[in-house]
Amino acid sequence: LLRQICPALEYALPDPALPQLGEVVVLGDDVPPGAVEFVANADIRVLRFERRYQYLIAFNSTREHLKVPGVRRALNLAIDRDALIRSVLQGHGVASSGPVWHRFWAGDNTVGGFRHDPAEAEALLDHEGLRMPSASSTDDRVPPARFHFTCLMPEGFAIWERLALEVQRSLFNIGVDMQLHRVPFGEFNTRIGQ
């Protein structure tokens, strides 16, 4: 017997909804911290497995600053993937080393992962002419930044939003202002397909 608990359901389930003898319960991706420990007992075995997907931010490389490879490398260096896994995914994940799942049979496991080096990120942005402006030379309504861009994301995806907020903080630390723009999923899907 297999029963799936979707992330949208509450995890403080009434007794009839708790796992029954011989039943397999699959928890979705957005399991709150402590939920697995809440239901764990001597009769329940928790099995974890890796899923074959990645969370990613895709840049519109036709935009002024984002079309410059050095800028994209700098943004990559600003992100601490291990910290994202610890803080947002509660340690349940593996930092990606590229666009292909790290266990894919045709993948190249000799390729190193992405480094986190905010100082190098700032140096790259300086090299590309994107220096941090003085506070007096910017509009008071927006924070001083090397450049600004908008990150489009779908409404109602809690993990995506938490990841985006952490990435926003990392980029802010190197002087890049990433604004989040939430839209309904249908609109999100249409816009990223254009």
Side-chain angles (χ1 to χ4, degrees):
L1 181 61
L2 175 68
R3 180 163 45 105
Q4 181 168 0
I5 298 176
C6 295
L9 295 179
E10 292 294 323
Y11 287 94
L13 301 171
D15 282 344
L18 290 176
Q20 303 298 313
L21 184 62
E23 185 174 35
V24 175
V25 176
V26 178
L27 296 177
D29 296 331
D30 197 10
V31 179
V36 173
E37 289 76 14
F38 174 75
V39 297
N41 64 45
D43 299 325
I44 296 176
R45 210 169 55 163
V46 176
L47 305 173
R48 301 179 195 279
F49 63 95
E50 289 182 12
R51 307 270 305 266
R52 295 181 188 151
Y53 63 82
Q54 301 177 11
Y55 296 103
L56 63 94
I57 296 177
F59 296 116
N60 181 348
S61 58
T62 64
R63 299 291 178 162
E64 179 186 2
H65 300 301
L66 298 175
K67 67 182 170 187
V68 180
V71 171
R72 293 194 307 271
R73 275 194 298 278
L75 299 180
N76 232 329
L77 286 164
I79 309 302
D80 185 348
R81 287 156 181 78
D82 292 326
L84 286 173
I85 291 168
R86 280 191 309 276
S87 66
V88 177
L89 303 176
Q90 291 106 38
H92 304 291
V94 177
S96 178
S97 60
V100 178
W101 185 51
H102 72 112
R103 294 190 192 264
F104 184 66
W105 67 271
D108 184 358
N109 291 331
T110 63
V111 175
F114 296 105
R115 291 182 298 118
H116 172 237
D117 191 338
E120 186 177 340
E122 289 180 296
L124 270 171
L125 291 172
D126 286 343
H127 177 75
E128 296 297 342
L130 295 169
R131 289 181 172 64
M132 194 66 184
S134 65
S136 62
S137 67
T138 61
D139 184 344
D140 290 339
R141 293 171 291 174
V142 294
R146 297 168 186 272
F147 72 97
H148 307 267
F149 73 97
T150 302
C151 178
L152 186 68
M153 58 182 303
E155 295 173 337
F157 287 77
I159 287 180
W160 289 19
E161 184 163 344
R162 290 194 307 261
L163 285 167
L165 288 169
E166 289 295 325
V167 168
Q168 182 184 48
R169 180 174 29 194
S170 294
L171 296 180
F172 180 81
N173 289 338
I174 63 161
V176 175
D177 179 32
M178 179 180 88
Q179 293 298 309
L180 303 179
H181 181 63
R182 294 161 194 85
V183 295
F185 188 77
E187 181 182 339
F188 171 81
N189 226 12
T190 301
R191 288 178 65 179
I192 63 168
Q194 294 174 341

